[in-house]
Amino acid sequence: MKLVNRITYRLSAALLILFAVWGALFYFIMIEEINDEADDTLEDYSEVIISRKRRGIDMPGYGNGTNNQHYIMEVSEKYAEKYKKDRFSDEMVYIKEKEETEPARVLKTIFEDEDGRFYELTVSIPTIEKDDLKATILSWMIILYGVLLAAIVIINAIVSHNSLKPLYKLLGWLDGYRLGKSGVPLDNETSVTEFRKLNEAVKRNTERNEKMYEQQKEFISNASHELQTPLAVCRNRLEMLAEDNRLTEEQLEELGKTMQSVDGMIKLNKTLLLLTKIENGQFPEISEISVNRLAEKTVEDYSEIFSYKNISFVLRETAEFTIEMNETLASVMISNLIKNAFLHTADNGEIIIDISSDSFIISNTSHGTPLDREKIFKRFYKKAGNEKSTGLGLSLSASVCARYGLTLEYSFEKNMHIFKIISKK
Amino acid sequence: MKILLIEDEPSLREIIRRFLEKERYIVEEAAGYYEALLKTEDHGYDCILLDIMLPDGNGLKLLEHLKNEGRRENVIIISARDSLDDKLEGLGLGADDYLPKPFHLAELGARIKSVTRRNNNNGEMEIKAGNVTILPEKFEVRVNSENIELNRKEYDILAYFMGRINHIVDKESLAESVWGDNMDQADNFDFIYAQVKNLRKKLREAGASLEIKTIYGFGYKMTVEE
């Protein structure tokens, strides 16, 4: 969720609660005020009537347009004692002049005349329709809420567009950033302290990562180079030893096995060096490579070597797939995938290569289970029990693909492992 | 034949010297740039094995110096750096071959033979062992001056063995040399057995005095019948 949207959602939720509370409060205060006014009027009115009654003057008549009403009822002393206080209430009152029932504010008060008799005076004045008031307040609240919400969205958009610019610029830069690839430096001047700190933190971190990455690369490169000589000595001494005629057949066999391990180490070391070189961009020469021809040639070699597996092979070419890249690396990329397919296809299995103008797809019969997509392109990932594998083949292919902006994907369909190289032309 | 071995790593120098002496070469050693410079100024050699990463100087400089002096020594660069640039630079400066470390001693032997032969025969190349002769330029194989027909792979295998007479050749190296790189993971060498079997048969039928022995656990060894 975008930050702007989140702020808008949060604000609108908070506003909704605020408006509900405020609307209710507003309503009650208003009613209170109205009642207060009505009660004052009722008190005045009742005083007038009571004084007129005491002095025996005519009561104010009806039909004077005020819709006010009153009537007097004689009550017992006991009743008067009990309801000594003035009582206000909201009631529905029938108004004779209008011949309908309307809400009214009613005052009931007890008074005593000169003769010592007690009367209860009931006066009423029509008041406002509370339901109407509620509805009006509610609808205006809703309108105000809507308008405010729209204002918030617009303001948010403008504010975030202006104030959050450095943040979005930083995010954009981070999206484009790749470790070990010198991209454009972060140029994000801002006067906002938080953003400046964020910029600095990002810069510091990327610099530290770059440094560590460089050190790691250098370490692998140095270690591999340093290993070359002792490995050479080791291999050559074993060779000399093997040519000693005094050795028995058993000793020679032992020696042969040791030699194979040393050869394995040498191969591993060479591959590591190759990986380092690819990542250091030490293969600058570029030519136009036909993947079709490269694949044809490689397959020819491997089918002889793996002929004992009795693999059926299909090459489907719908178009010529050419890539501008280094020849050595192209061969590394394609041959590792093809070798992999030959190596891991079950006996009597099938290998299919599809080449179109922008993709190279190689599928081979599996042993039934898909590979771990997350791990196969990682260095030194190999299945248990495969001594001969360095676990670097696919990693090499992936490295080369990454170098030339090609996509290398793995999928598993119909019991086939499928590797795809796709060019984003 | 006299060989100057320029290599700074003592252990490697010792083993190469022992190997070359077994091959009946006379070996002189130099551990660094200046020692090598002095030796080349005082003596002439048939072949110089040159490590280019020396503690006190770059081997390529020595090569440049030798060529500027108009020296005719064959130079084989042995380098821990398997880099195309070094190789191209070395060969461009007049080196005869480039062998990246780690290498097989038999391979080194074959390369030395190859460059010194190139020099001695002045073009017309011939590889001879027993009564078998290979003419690499014509891809011809003769047994007692009679041509025999070999397919491409059989020819490559024979040429590989004949450069390494009396040396054990492991099957991985043979596969890499004849079938190309990346044979590292082949877990079955039936394809070599088949070709070697055919080659043996053809040699025997032609009456060749060469024998390909199987060394169990290792590979093969070609010997000349007495």
Side-chain angles (χ1 to χ4, degrees):
Chain A
M1 188 186 273
K2 279 186 87 173
L3 181 64
V4 184
N5 295 345
R6 166 143 294 181
I7 291 174
T8 309
Y9 289 143
R10 289 275 162 87
L11 273 180
S12 45
L15 275 180
L16 193 63
I17 297 166
L18 200 71
F19 266 62
V21 172
W22 196 78
L25 215 62
F26 181 73
Y27 170 76
F28 284 115
I29 288 170
M30 197 124 160
I31 291 296
E32 189 67 25
E33 192 59 33
I34 289 166
N35 283 348
D36 207 39
E37 285 297 314
D39 293 353
D40 282 353
T41 315
L42 279 173
E43 271 170 4
D44 291 349
Y45 189 42
S46 71
E47 267 165 36
V48 169
I49 290 171
I50 291 167
S51 73
R52 283 194 183 189
K53 173 85 186 164
R54 279 184 182 148
R55 280 182 283 151
I57 303 169
D58 283 348
M59 291 297 131
Y62 294 103
N64 56 3
T66 58
N67 289 348
N68 295 354
Q69 296 188 73
H70 67 273
Y71 52 97
I72 298 168
M73 190 170 69
E74 195 174 339
V75 293
S76 65
E77 198 180 334
K78 220 171 154 190
Y79 181 91
E81 190 61 30
K82 193 179 173 191
Y83 297 106
K84 223 165 44 192
K85 281 189 176 159
D86 292 350
R87 280 163 292 144
F88 294 99
S89 63
D90 293 316
E91 276 168 32
M92 294 303 286
V93 174
Y94 181 75
I95 297 170
K96 276 179 234 155
E97 294 156 39
K98 289 171 93 178
E99 295 185 339
E100 60 185 42
T101 313
E102 281 202 353
R105 190 72 179 164
V106 177
L107 168 66
K108 287 185 174 163
T109 184
I110 305 287
F111 68 93
E112 194 185 351
D113 71 357
E114 289 149 351
D115 305 330
R117 281 186 296 192
F118 291 96
Y119 297 92
E120 183 186 62
L121 169 68
T122 304
V123 283
S124 72
I125 54 171
T127 181
I128 53 165
E129 293 260 12
K130 284 184 183 160
D131 286 340
D132 284 355
L133 184 66
K134 273 184 204 165
T136 310
I137 289 175
L138 186 68
S139 61
W140 276 103
M141 281 287 164
I142 289 170
I143 290 168
L144 185 59
Y145 182 71
V147 170
L148 265 177
L149 218 55
I152 285 170
V153 169
I154 293 164
I155 291 168
N156 246 337
I158 295 167
V159 166
S160 70
H161 183 72
N162 290 325
S163 326
L164 296 180
K165 244 183 207 162
L167 181 66
Y168 288 120
K169 196 171 173 191
L170 181 65
L171 288 177
W173 183 81
L174 277 173
D175 271 342
Y177 175 77
R178 293 282 172 278
L179 189 61
K181 294 232 172 87
S182 47
V184 278
L186 178 61
D187 173 30
N188 197 10
E189 276 303 313
T190 166
S191 55
V192 183
T193 320
E194 284 88 343
F195 290 143
R196 220 173 37 229
K197 277 189 176 165
L198 199 58
N199 281 341
E200 278 160 18
V202 166
K203 256 188 198 165
R204 247 195 336 268
N205 252 309
T206 49
E207 271 161 23
R208 198 170 54 215
N209 282 343
E210 288 291 339
K211 216 169 139 192
M212 274 166 62
Y213 181 71
E214 278 305 314
Q215 279 172 350
Q216 189 206 336
K217 270 203 312 200
E218 214 180 294
F219 174 77
I220 295 175
S221 166
N222 286 347
S224 308
H225 271 126
E226 289 303 318
L227 274 173
Q228 293 281 71
T229 306
L231 282 172
V233 172
C234 205
R235 172 190 266 178
N236 294 351
R237 282 190 183 277
L238 286 174
E239 277 171 349
M240 283 293 277
L241 193 58
E243 293 191 353
D244 191 333
N245 292 328
R246 288 167 298 180
L247 287 179
T248 65
E249 203 159 279
E250 287 83 38
Q251 284 170 328
L252 204 55
E253 199 185 333
E254 268 319 295
L255 210 53
K257 284 178 187 159
T258 315
M259 188 87 119
Q260 271 175 17
S261 296
V262 173
D263 282 348
M265 261 192 281
I266 287 170
K267 226 145 261 169
L268 185 63
N269 204 39
K270 270 191 183 168
T271 316
L272 274 179
L273 273 174
L274 181 61
L275 259 176
T276 321
K277 277 192 209 159
I278 294 171
E279 281 168 12
N280 285 345
Q282 284 173 318
F283 290 94
E285 309 84 10
I286 279 180
S287 55
E288 194 167 311
I289 304 294
S290 158
V291 174
N292 305 54
R293 249 172 295 144
L294 192 59
E296 283 159 21
K297 194 194 157 294
T298 316
V299 164
E300 193 187 314
D301 287 345
Y302 284 113
S303 27
E304 183 178 359
I305 292 161
F306 289 97
S307 58
Y308 68 95
K309 277 191 159 182
N310 194 25
I311 292 167
S312 63
F313 178 79
V314 183
L315 178 62
R316 290 193 290 245
E317 296 168 85
T318 54
E320 182 93 357
F321 181 19
T322 54
I323 314 177
E324 293 274 322
M325 68 190 294
N326 182 278
E327 199 180 339
T328 314
L329 295 189
S331 153
V332 164
M333 176 178 85
I334 296 293
S335 71
N336 269 308
L337 288 180
I338 294 179
K339 176 167 70 186
N340 215 51
F342 272 102
L343 262 177
H344 297 294
T345 302
D347 288 359
N348 305 315
E350 191 181 23
I351 294 177
I352 303 166
I353 294 182
D354 283 288
I355 303 175
S356 72
S357 65
D358 61 354
S359 71
F360 168 87
I361 304 170
I362 180 162
S363 331
N364 71 285
T365 316
S366 75
H367 291 276
T369 41
L371 300 167
D372 189 337
R373 202 176 302 224
E374 298 292 315
K375 288 184 186 155
I376 44 171
F377 297 119
K378 291 219 167 106
R379 292 179 188 185
F380 301 116
Y381 171 75
K382 53 183 169 186
K383 281 199 179 153
N386 192 350
E387 268 179 48
K388 295 243 171 171
S389 158
T390 55
L392 290 173
L394 282 176
S395 170
L396 269 174
S397 289
S399 242
V400 176
C401 283
R403 173 119 217 118
Y404 292 100
L406 302 165
T407 316
L408 177 58
E409 285 172 0
Y410 167 75
S411 57
F412 185 81
E413 280 166 36
K414 295 175 191 154
N415 199 29
M416 301 278 268
H417 295 303
I418 301 166
F419 287 91
K420 275 183 204 172
I421 294 177
I422 301 162
S423 156
K424 291 170 276 186
K425 266 180 212 165
Chain B
M1 251 200 279
K2 225 164 92 182
I3 292 180
L4 176 63
L5 170 59
I6 306 166
E7 164 66 57
D8 60 314
E9 161 64 34
S11 186
L12 193 60
R13 200 166 64 233
E14 182 223 318
I15 198 78
I16 294 175
R17 180 178 54 77
R18 270 173 52 199
F19 168 77
L20 293 175
E21 281 172 355
K22 238 178 100 185
E23 296 281 290
R24 314 227 171 115
Y25 292 110
I26 299 156
V27 184
E28 286 285 326
E29 294 176 11
Y33 178 79
Y34 288 104
E35 199 183 340
L37 199 63
L38 289 178
K39 289 210 161 149
T40 52
E41 272 170 12
D42 292 348
H43 307 282
Y45 299 92
D46 296 295
C47 183
I48 296 175
L49 302 180
L50 176 62
D51 185 3
I52 51 174
M53 287 202 286
L54 295 168
D56 55 349
N58 190 329
L60 290 173
K61 260 186 151 171
L62 186 72
L63 177 62
E64 209 175 349
H65 174 77
L66 287 175
K67 293 300 157 186
N68 286 343
E69 299 259 293
R71 302 279 288 261
R72 303 274 309 266
E73 272 100 345
N74 296 297
V75 177
I76 298 176
I77 293 173
I78 46 178
S79 168
R81 278 200 301 209
D82 185 8
S83 119
L84 195 65
D85 285 345
D86 281 354
K87 185 172 180 174
L88 291 176
E89 198 183 345
L91 296 179
L93 284 172
D96 296 272
D97 210 342
Y98 185 95
L99 192 57
K101 285 185 209 169
F103 45 77
H104 289 282
L105 287 172
E107 185 68 33
L108 179 66
R111 302 277 182 111
I112 292 174
K113 257 181 220 148
S114 165
V115 295
T116 49
R117 192 166 36 223
R118 211 184 293 166
N119 206 33
N120 293 342
N121 285 15
N122 268 339
E124 187 58 34
M125 288 238 310
E126 262 187 10
I127 303 171
K128 264 187 157 170
N131 58 1
V132 182
T133 311
I134 294 182
L135 302 169
E137 274 145 26
K138 297 179 192 155
F139 288 102
E140 271 181 22
V141 180
R142 290 182 189 152
V143 178
N144 292 326
S145 66
E146 258 185 54
N147 279 8
I148 61 168
E149 286 298 317
L150 297 179
N151 70 28
R152 212 189 93 213
K153 291 274 148 67
E154 288 162 354
Y155 171 84
D156 287 343
I157 294 171
L158 180 65
Y160 191 80
F161 278 137
M162 282 178 63
R164 293 155 184 78
I165 295 281
N166 288 328
H167 287 299
I168 296 175
V169 168
D170 66 294
K171 44 191 185 303
E172 282 92 351
S173 306
L174 176 63
E176 254 187 67
S177 158
V178 176
W179 278 268
D181 293 341
N182 299 319
M183 296 300 107
D184 47 350
Q185 283 180 29
D187 50 1
N188 182 308
F189 287 94
D190 284 352
F191 61 102
I192 296 183
Y193 302 146
Q195 298 285 3
V196 170
K197 205 177 127 198
N198 290 340
L199 179 60
R200 266 188 191 136
K201 199 176 149 208
K202 285 185 182 172
L203 288 176
R204 201 171 45 242
E205 280 167 2
S209 64
L210 295 178
E211 194 192 351
I212 302 169
K213 284 181 181 160
T214 303
I215 310 289
Y216 191 70
F218 249 99
Y220 302 96
K221 185 168 164 179
M222 179 172 268
T223 54
V224 182
E225 287 166 16
E226 299 302 326

